[in-house]
Amino acid sequence: MSKGATKEELEAGRGYEALFVPALFAPWTHHLIRGARAAEGQSVLDVACGSGVLARDVRSRTGPAGRVVGLDPAPGMIAAASEIEPGIEWVSGAVEDLPFEDGTFDCVVSQFGMMFFQDKAKAASEMRRVIKPGGHLAVAVWNSLDSNPAYNDIIAVLDERVSTEAGDALRLPYSLGDADAAVSVFEGAGFEAAAFETRTEQARFPTSRTMVEAELRGWLPLFGITLSEEKIAEVLVQSDSRLAAYASGNGEAVFPTSAHIITAKAPA
Ligand SMILES: C[S@@+](CC[C@H](N)C(=O)[O-])C[C@H]1O[C@@H](n2cnc3c(N)ncnc32)[C@H](O)[C@@H]1O
């Protein structure tokens, strides 16, 4: 056990950090840091911090005079984050009920968590509440699946070989592709100058199999979908051929990913 996490939860957090962070999430942190105008000496909250990649990069921007807090409800993520970087404050909690006083932070950042927030309006109003007057927000959400072709291909295999429910589990992270709708959630919470820009970064997995297998064994069970070994083998054979287009010379799966960076300001 570590920080309230079971051994399995901690292993899941470590596994996320080892595979998904370098492959998919690390390339995005600089967009959030720039979008939130995070600067030396500031206090910054990373909401839905996962294993902490963004909070760690924010910390290298704010320096030792700043304060960086990472918050996430998943005990395994918080345990992995604090194992990797004990020098940051890691807090267990959900965005809908942030355990901070009003006006605590100069900036709030969040990457690829908003799609999972149960109550998005409450989440936005909590983020607005904890930002100081005139402080900045930056939130990343994935663009639609049309702009994220590799995941579109995996979903097609899941729909075909497993079930629509399995496909839907993988569609969830792409459910805020309409950035205008996400922007209006922040406007509704009282933010000013809410806007977005759409950016592309390269994802790079060791192999396409590693990527698909992690979704089958790690993500689908969170939705109550557990596949037999035979079914996993069948899906992997199918996805090998669908994803062949992304194979580089050394066997890595390399493909473009597209996301919206939403920025906004708390009224002064
Ligand atoms: C795809 S991960 C992104 C993690 C991290 N930001 C990164 O870039 O690696 C999504 C995270 O959202 C968190 N999450 C889900 N629901 C949440 C909620 N209601 N409040 C805060 N975080 C939440 C999950 O626990 C998970 O760690």
Side-chain angles (χ1 to χ4, degrees):
M1 299 266 283
S2 173
K3 276 222 158 195
T6 64
K7 195 165 159 280
E8 292 73 26
E9 288 167 340
L10 175 59
E11 281 309 320
R14 287 174 177 161
Y16 175 88
E17 171 71 23
L19 179 64
F20 284 103
V21 168
L24 198 56
F25 295 105
W28 291 94
T29 59
H30 69 102
H31 293 293
L32 282 291
I33 292 168
R34 185 174 45 83
R37 305 181 191 195
E40 198 169 338
Q42 287 191 329
S43 56
V44 182
L45 172 66
D46 176 10
V47 169
C49 65
S51 55
V53 61
L54 175 56
R56 294 193 298 273
D57 285 356
V58 167
R59 162 106 163 196
S60 57
R61 172 62 60 95
T62 59
R67 176 188 180 203
V68 179
V69 179
L71 172 132
D72 201 284
M77 289 294 202
I78 289 295
S82 67
E83 187 177 76
I84 297 159
E85 179 45 272
I88 287 177
E89 288 174 55
W90 303 107
V91 175
S92 290
V95 64
E96 293 87 352
D97 185 18
L98 292 174
F100 309 106
E101 299 292 319
D102 296 4
T104 302
F105 298 98
D106 295 299
C107 317
V108 171
V109 292
S110 184
Q111 71 169 24
F112 305 119
M114 187 173 174
M115 298 74 79
F116 310 114
F117 299 164
Q118 296 289 319
D119 184 340
K120 292 176 181 52
K122 184 85 199 315
S125 101
E126 277 293 272
M127 290 194 257
R128 157 82 189 77
R129 182 182 65 75
V130 301
I131 298 186
K132 292 177 186 172
H136 290 271
L137 170 85
V139 173
V141 295
W142 293 119
N143 199 349
S144 60
L145 278 164
D146 294 344
S147 306
N148 285 286
Y151 277 92
N152 216 8
D153 289 341
I154 301 173
I155 288 167
V157 175
L158 290 178
D159 282 343
E160 212 175 280
R161 298 282 164 167
V162 184
S163 63
T164 314
E165 290 71 30
D168 285 348
L170 230 64
R171 281 184 187 91
L172 179 60
Y174 301 92
S175 55
L176 288 178
D178 175 4
D180 286 323
V183 163
S184 47
V185 172
F186 291 107
E187 286 170 339
F191 280 101
E192 291 178 347
F196 73 93
E197 54 181 36
T198 304
R199 297 284 171 199
T200 301
E201 289 290 346
Q202 201 86 306
R204 185 176 289 273
F205 282 85
T207 64
S208 63
R209 278 216 161 198
T210 337
M211 167 188 173
V212 178
E213 204 167 351
E215 301 292 354
L216 302 182
R217 294 188 191 278
W219 187 248
L220 295 188
L222 298 178
F223 297 80
I225 303 168
T226 305
L227 306 185
S228 66
E229 290 303 316
E230 291 72 21
K231 186 51 89 177
I232 288 175
E234 179 190 329
V235 171
L236 290 176
V237 168
Q238 288 302 312
S239 54
D240 277 352
S241 64
R242 285 267 190 163
L243 300 176
Y246 310 114
S248 67
N250 63 2
E252 288 181 328
V254 181
F255 53 88
T257 59
S258 174
H260 306 302
I261 311 297
I262 300 162
T263 52
K265 197 176 166 206

